């Protein structure tokens, strides 16, 4: 299946992101002539990607053609790999989940790595199960935590023990389908670009909080595929020199307050027994002062991080997501910190307001992000 031309992709993307519109209006928006727009609409209609319908309330003059994207024109399997499981979904072109499934990853070797060949077979079987739920599958996208290069090579698989591992080539050979491999936060940023924050902001930042801290960057409508530091500089930015230490020994850095492992370690030390993140949240609800203090510290750290990220990107839009983010953002300390950071000086006239949203993610949501990246890949946008 050949990728779309640049112009075909522009038309299809606009219809997916912004919904149905008239052929004339879309041509004006994309600066395409009437003849070019007619040719593109005909080509995409013949390919089954869009439909053309006459405006139902047409009365005078030439009938207006309404263009709409066809949701089921493409289906892609998205798969999120964790340390021990593969979570899969099959989505249509709009990123709507049609079915979900999961499978255990193979047992680790004695050196702590997850076997690659067996993982490929697991993902292939998962994709085969999901493919039965739709007419056909056009591609597979796999996301994972770590560093991915060339949309194929896992240079550093944080939770799988992988180094310089080609995942796309054997999976492509196993399934016969186009395959793209991506960092999991980058995939979420791609989803936000088409179906979330990107609808109103061409530049925005994404922060995920959970098993680790993740960062996604979109600048002028382009997703930054590989961060120079995998987010390390932001994650370990110092907030105070007297705060708790992260796993790398930094005192009072952002990660020491927000990394789940570090937060649980500090809570366990304070309680004199093992404390999980969920247990910490429950203790705060019950009025425990230590739990309240720790989670308030996390909220303050996240507020500073969001404000700093927005300033660095020069955007008013930041998306907070992840398994732990809702419980941390529930503290008023986050909004208080952001408001204080935005407070202008006495002689300043410029005003700024940050649009910060939060979304709790399930593993299926992570897999959906991979699927959207896969849709973009098979259409030629990636």
């Amino acid at each position: 299946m050949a990728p779309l031309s640049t112009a075909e992709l522009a038309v299809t993307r606009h219809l997916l992101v912004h919904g149905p519109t008239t052929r004339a209006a879309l041509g004006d928006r994309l600066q395409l002539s009437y003849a070019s727009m007619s040719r593109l609409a005909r080509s995409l209609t013949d390919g089954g990607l869009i439909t053309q319908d006459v405006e139902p309330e047409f009365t005078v003059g030439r009938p207006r053609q309404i263009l709409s994207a066809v949701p089921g024109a493409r289906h892609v399997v998205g798969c999120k790999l964790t340390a021990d499981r593969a979570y899969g979904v099959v989505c249509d072109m709009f990123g709507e989940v049609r079915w979900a499934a999961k499978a255990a990853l193979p047992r680790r070797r004695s050196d702590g790595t997850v076997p690659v060949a067996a993982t490929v077979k697991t993902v292939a079987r998962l994709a085969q199960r999901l493919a039965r739920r739709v007419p056909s599958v056009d591609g597979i996208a796999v996301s994972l935590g770590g560093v991915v290069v060339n949309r194929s090579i896992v240079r550093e698989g944080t939770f799988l023990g992988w180094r310089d591992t080609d995942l796309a080539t054997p999976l492509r050979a196993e399934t016969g389908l186009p395959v793209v491999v991506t960092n999991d936060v980058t995939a979420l940023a791609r989803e936000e670009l088409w179906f979330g924050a990107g609808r109103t902001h061409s530049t925005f930042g994404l922060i995920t909080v959970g098993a680790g801290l993740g960062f996604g960057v979109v600048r002028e409508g382009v997703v930054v595929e590989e961060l120079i530091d995998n987010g390390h500089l932001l994650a370990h930015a110092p907030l105070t020199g007297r705060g708790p230490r992260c796993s790398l020994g930094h005192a009072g850095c952002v990660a020491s307050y927000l990394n789940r492992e570090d937060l649980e370690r500090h809570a366990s030390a304070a309680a004199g027994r093992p404390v999980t993140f969920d247990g910490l949240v429950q203790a705060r609800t019950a009025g425990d002062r230590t739990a309240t203090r720790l989670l308030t510290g996390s909220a303050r750290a996240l507020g500073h991080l969001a404000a700093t990220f927005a300033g660095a990107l020069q955007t008013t839009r930041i998306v907070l997501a992840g398994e732990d983010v809702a419980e941390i953002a529930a503290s008023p300390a986050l909004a208080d910190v952001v408001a204080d950071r935005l407070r202008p000086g006495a002689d300043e006239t410029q005003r700024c307001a940050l649009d910060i949203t939060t979304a709790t993610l399930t593993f299926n949501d992570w897999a959906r992000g991979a699927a959207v990246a896969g849709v973009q890949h098979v259409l030629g946008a990636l």
Side-chain angles (χ1 to χ4, degrees):
M1 184 181 301
L4 302 180
S5 69
T6 301
E8 288 173 332
L9 179 60
V11 170
T12 304
R13 173 179 173 173
H14 191 280
L15 294 175
L16 287 172
V17 174
H18 300 290
T21 187
T22 65
R23 192 166 67 188
L26 186 52
D28 290 343
R29 176 68 180 269
L30 301 178
Q31 297 184 323
L32 295 168
S33 68
Y34 178 84
S36 295
M37 193 64 231
S38 297
R39 185 177 65 254
L40 289 167
R42 184 167 55 252
S43 172
L44 291 170
T45 301
D46 291 344
L49 286 166
I50 73 171
T51 59
Q52 298 187 74
D53 300 296
V54 176
E55 189 175 31
E57 296 180 1
F58 163 73
T59 55
V60 180
R62 176 180 291 180
R64 296 202 302 177
Q65 296 289 326
I66 305 295
L67 306 184
S68 304
V70 178
R74 299 286 187 273
H75 290 95
V76 170
V77 168
C79 185
K80 156 71 173 174
L81 299 183
T82 67
D84 57 3
R85 285 192 174 276
Y87 293 85
V89 297
V90 61
C91 290
D92 62 21
M93 284 213 303
F94 284 89
E96 293 296 323
V97 175
R98 298 305 180 193
W99 203 262
K102 61 184 177 181
L105 291 182
R107 184 174 300 177
R108 292 175 182 266
R109 294 194 179 100
S110 58
D111 62 0
T113 62
V114 176
V116 177
T119 298
V120 166
K121 291 188 179 298
T122 298
V123 173
R125 287 194 296 267
L126 190 60
Q128 188 176 39
R129 285 170 56 192
L130 291 166
R132 300 191 190 107
R133 301 292 179 172
V134 293
S136 64
V137 167
D138 302 284
I140 298 174
V142 180
S143 73
L144 48 85
V147 180
V148 178
V149 296
N150 299 327
R151 299 164 187 155
S152 176
I153 310 295
V154 182
R155 175 170 290 169
E156 179 184 311
T158 308
F159 302 105
L160 299 163
W162 292 351
R163 294 290 184 274
D164 297 320
T165 300
D166 186 350
L167 182 62
T169 300
L171 185 55
R172 192 180 300 119
E174 183 75 22
T175 63
L177 292 169
V179 174
V180 62
V181 180
T182 178
N183 170 270
D184 49 7
V185 183
T186 301
L188 288 177
R190 291 193 169 280
E191 178 189 346
E192 285 287 334
L193 177 61
W194 277 26
F195 303 118
R199 286 174 163 169
T200 54
H201 291 72
S202 62
T203 296
F204 62 89
L206 169 67
I207 302 172
T208 61
V209 184
L213 273 173
F215 300 90
V217 176
V218 177
R219 289 198 296 249
E220 298 302 323
V222 177
V223 176
V224 177
E225 193 74 18
E226 297 174 36
L227 303 185
I228 61 167
D229 61 339
N230 199 28
H232 193 85
L233 291 171
L234 282 170
H236 293 280
L239 296 176
T240 172
R242 299 187 301 275
R245 292 189 179 273
C246 74
S247 58
L248 297 182
H250 302 138
C253 72
V254 169
S256 69
Y257 290 95
L258 291 172
N259 270 341
R260 187 190 302 157
E261 184 177 305
D262 289 319
L263 185 55
E264 290 177 340
R265 179 163 50 83
H266 303 321
S268 298
R273 56 179 174 78
V275 177
T276 64
F277 180 80
D278 289 341
L280 189 63
V281 172
Q282 292 169 7
R284 179 182 64 180
T285 302
D288 183 88
R289 291 185 178 181
T290 300
T292 300
R293 174 178 58 81
L294 288 171
L295 288 171
T296 297
S298 297
R300 290 183 58 80
L302 188 54
H304 280 297
L305 180 59
T308 299
F309 201 16
L313 289 176
Q314 285 298 284
T315 182
T316 58
R317 187 75 164 92
I318 296 292
V319 179
L320 306 178
E323 300 92 314
D324 298 348
V325 71
E327 299 295 350
I328 292 174
S331 170
L334 189 152
D336 291 344
V337 164
V338 172
D340 185 61
R341 289 282 298 272
L342 291 173
R343 180 162 46 87
D347 299 322
E348 291 180 321
T349 58
Q350 187 172 5
R351 297 291 184 269
C352 171
L354 293 187
D355 180 7
I356 299 176
T357 59
T358 63
T360 301
L361 299 179
T362 67
F363 288 120
N364 284 346
D365 294 322
W366 286 98
R368 178 179 182 262
V372 171
V375 169
Q376 295 170 356
H377 179 63
V378 299
L379 290 179
L382 170 61

